[in-house]
Amino acid sequence: MTKTLTVLMALAALAPAAWSQDRIYRCGNEYTNNASQARERGCKLVEGGNVTVVQGTRPSSAAASHQGGGATTAAPAASPSNAPRVDANDQRARDSDARAILEAELRKAEARLAELSKEYNNGEPQRTALELRNPQVYIERTAELKAAVARAESDVAGIKRELARLPGGAGR
């Protein structure tokens, strides 16, 4: 009985050591408990509490090949191997449809810009009867028109950029 009690007391004394955590080192965004590896890489000891590290997913083989010695570069987005292939003629038709849609949107945006620019009248829109009696309303409407003109110009510029990105032409 005393022998069993002695063994249990020895196990109880060793249990906290078994449960305690090894020294943890931080190497950039990675953690290790290998002291020699930490010394080689110049890692810093993590102190002040327990560290829980959840292992993330590994990058795909294509992305891993771009991660060579140190600097990580983003791999261009590649289609999955099971992605359906599109015939070249179908792709040209899609590009043509996209161009037609964007050109129609550009015409609408340019018409809206022309309408707003005309109403804005270089910062001096036509005053209404209410605005003649209340100058603050005129100032607010002028500011709103100026913002609307800026948004319309931005819309036109954005659509032109999208057109320029499409294959088969430099846009308008």
Side-chain angles (χ1 to χ4, degrees):
M1 182 84 164
T2 59
K3 187 174 184 183
T4 306
L5 185 60
T6 308
V7 170
L8 286 174
M9 288 177 62
L11 284 174
L14 293 176
W19 291 330
S20 69
Q21 200 172 40
D22 292 339
R23 299 183 107 175
I24 303 293
Y25 300 90
R26 181 175 181 171
C27 310
N29 287 335
E30 295 179 22
Y31 294 86
T32 185
N33 59 354
N34 184 330
S36 62
Q37 183 185 28
R39 270 194 303 277
E40 288 173 10
R41 295 175 59 190
C43 304
K44 296 183 180 170
L45 179 64
V46 176
E47 298 183 47
N50 294 331
V51 175
T52 302
V53 177
V54 177
Q55 186 67 35
T57 59
R58 296 283 177 197
S60 67
S61 61
S65 66
H66 290 296
Q67 290 181 347
T72 303
T73 58
S79 298
S81 61
N82 61 352
R85 295 284 176 194
V86 178
D87 182 47
N89 290 332
D90 289 343
Q91 186 61 48
R92 276 193 290 278
R94 288 179 184 180
D95 292 342
S96 176
D97 291 346
R99 177 170 299 284
I101 291 167
L102 282 171
E103 286 173 346
E105 287 296 318
L106 180 61
R107 284 190 297 275
K108 281 195 266 184
E110 287 174 334
R112 176 80 176 136
L113 175 59
E115 177 186 314
L116 285 169
S117 295
K118 182 179 177 186
E119 186 179 350
Y120 182 59
N121 193 24
N122 292 324
E124 296 189 18
Q126 185 73 32
R127 291 179 188 258
T128 64
L130 176 64
E131 293 169 345
L132 289 172
R133 290 190 307 253
N134 189 348
Q136 185 60 36
V137 173
Y138 177 76
I139 292 170
E140 290 171 2
R141 185 169 71 97
T142 303
E144 289 172 7
L145 281 170
K146 181 178 182 181
V149 167
R151 280 191 304 273
E153 288 171 344
S154 177
D155 290 347
V156 168
I159 294 170
K160 285 181 178 180
R161 279 193 306 274
E162 287 300 317
L163 276 168
R165 289 181 187 157
L166 287 177
R172 285 178 75 181

